[in-house]
């Protein structure tokens, strides 16, 4: 069936562009983790933070990373180490972007509370439920990518999945703090509380844009500290 929805077509174009940009980043090297993180954050800002959008974004990132690593491997066998390193960095970048989404949600809620503003109980509940699914969304995407890949790439992704299962993820670590703030805020918010103007998800998306643009660095630094513990 033909899609006559311009918004859906634009979203599909954005996702296709994200896949292509991730592929180029992995194929050409450099600071792959940072590039993947920033491209992912920009896609979140542009396409929304609902679970369906996040699945599409994460899948596009892993597809692009897979294609970029295959391009690296196709050139010469001695490039296998570089391809492996770059796929590891791409996965770390996706994990970091999800962690920063959780961190930005926490920051948005804290800033609203500091200004004596409150969001509706229903919005807090929905956002909390979406956040609670972030780590499993990341892990499911990683597992699916490992299943779809072959050879060295499949082995690398499977190792990353098993490592994350054993040792946790950056997004999982950040979620502990974020969900604690949500629980506290919801306990003090009446079910009939009116929303404080802007939507929490939009404020969070704007913070993600600032992080990706280098305007806001606090959450980025915090994620790095958590990874180094």
């Amino acid at each position: 069936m033909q899609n006559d929805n311009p918004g859906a077509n634009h979203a599909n174009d954005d996702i296709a562009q994200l896949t292509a940009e991730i592929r180029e980043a992995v194929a050409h090297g450099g600071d792959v983790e940072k590039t993947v993180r920033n491209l992912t954050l920009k896609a979140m800002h542009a396409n929304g933070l609902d679970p369906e959008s996040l699945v599409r974004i994460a899948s596009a990132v892993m597809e692009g990373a897979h294609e970029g690593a295959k391009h690296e491997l196709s050139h010469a066998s001695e490039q296998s180490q570089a391809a492996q390193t770059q796929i590891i960095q791409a996965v770390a970048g996706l994990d970091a972007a999800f962690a920063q989404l959780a961190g930005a949600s926490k920051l948005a809620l804290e800033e609203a509370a500091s200004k004596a503003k409150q969001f509706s109980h229903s919005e807090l509940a929905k956002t909390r439920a979406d956040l609670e699914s972030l780590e499993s969304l990341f892990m499911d995407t990683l597992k699916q990518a490992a299943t779809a890949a072959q050879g060295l790439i499949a082995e690398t992704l499977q190792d990353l999945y098993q490592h994350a299962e054993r040792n946790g993820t950056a997004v999982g670590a950040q979620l502990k703090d974020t969900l604690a703030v949500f629980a506290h805020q919801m306990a003090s918010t009446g079910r009939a509380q009116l929303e404080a103007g802007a939507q929490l998800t939009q404020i969070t998306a704007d913070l993600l844009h600032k992080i990706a643009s280098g305007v806001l660095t606090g959450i980025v630094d915090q994620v790095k500290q958590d990874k180094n513990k």
Side-chain angles (χ1 to χ4, degrees):
M1 181 182 298
Q2 183 176 354
N3 190 341
D4 295 325
N5 186 337
N9 290 336
H10 179 69
N12 289 337
D13 290 343
D14 284 350
I15 293 299
Q17 181 179 351
L18 174 62
T19 301
E21 289 174 339
I22 297 292
R23 179 176 63 244
E24 290 301 307
V26 172
H28 293 100
D31 193 342
V32 174
E33 180 176 346
K34 180 179 179 180
T35 301
V36 169
R37 184 198 72 207
N38 285 347
L39 288 171
T40 304
L41 293 177
K42 289 177 181 176
M44 289 176 178
H45 175 258
N47 292 277
L49 304 179
D50 58 283
E52 292 80 9
S53 293
L54 294 177
V55 167
R56 284 160 54 84
I57 290 168
S59 298
V61 169
M62 292 310 305
E63 181 181 349
H66 183 197
E67 292 175 0
K70 282 177 63 178
H71 177 273
E72 189 81 10
L73 286 170
S74 68
H75 279 65
S77 58
E78 61 267 21
Q79 292 295 94
S80 60
Q81 184 62 49
Q84 186 177 39
T85 298
Q86 283 156 216
I87 200 83
I88 290 170
Q89 290 180 357
V91 171
L94 180 61
D95 190 12
F98 272 47
Q100 284 159 21
L101 167 56
S105 297
K106 171 176 175 280
L107 182 59
L109 197 55
E110 289 175 334
E111 287 189 349
S114 72
K115 297 175 181 176
K117 294 181 179 180
Q118 288 183 317
F119 300 95
S120 70
H121 191 279
S122 61
E123 182 176 5
L124 291 175
K126 180 183 184 305
T127 304
R128 182 181 68 176
D130 289 347
L131 287 170
E132 286 173 339
S133 69
L134 270 185
E135 187 174 31
S136 61
L137 192 161
F138 170 77
M139 293 294 290
D140 289 347
T141 304
L142 182 56
K143 185 176 183 179
Q144 290 169 10
T147 301
Q150 295 180 343
L152 178 64
I153 297 174
E155 293 172 10
T156 302
L157 290 172
Q158 185 62 38
D159 287 346
L160 289 171
Y161 178 81
Q162 292 173 352
H163 181 271
E165 273 194 317
R166 291 192 303 268
N167 301 291
T169 62
V171 60
Q174 178 61 58
L175 279 172
K176 292 178 183 178
D177 290 339
T178 297
L179 292 175
V181 171
F182 268 76
H184 179 268
Q185 184 65 25
M186 291 182 70
S188 62
T189 301
R191 290 188 178 275
Q193 176 67 45
L194 295 177
E195 297 182 14
Q199 297 288 315
L200 177 58
T201 51
Q202 184 57 52
I203 296 174
T204 301
D206 291 342
L207 288 172
L208 292 177
H209 180 64
K210 291 179 181 178
I211 294 168
S213 302
V215 176
L216 190 64
T217 59
I219 299 175
V220 176
D221 294 339
Q222 184 61 50
V223 169
K224 289 180 180 178
Q225 291 171 16
D226 291 341
K227 286 176 64 178
N228 292 331
K229 285 181 180 178

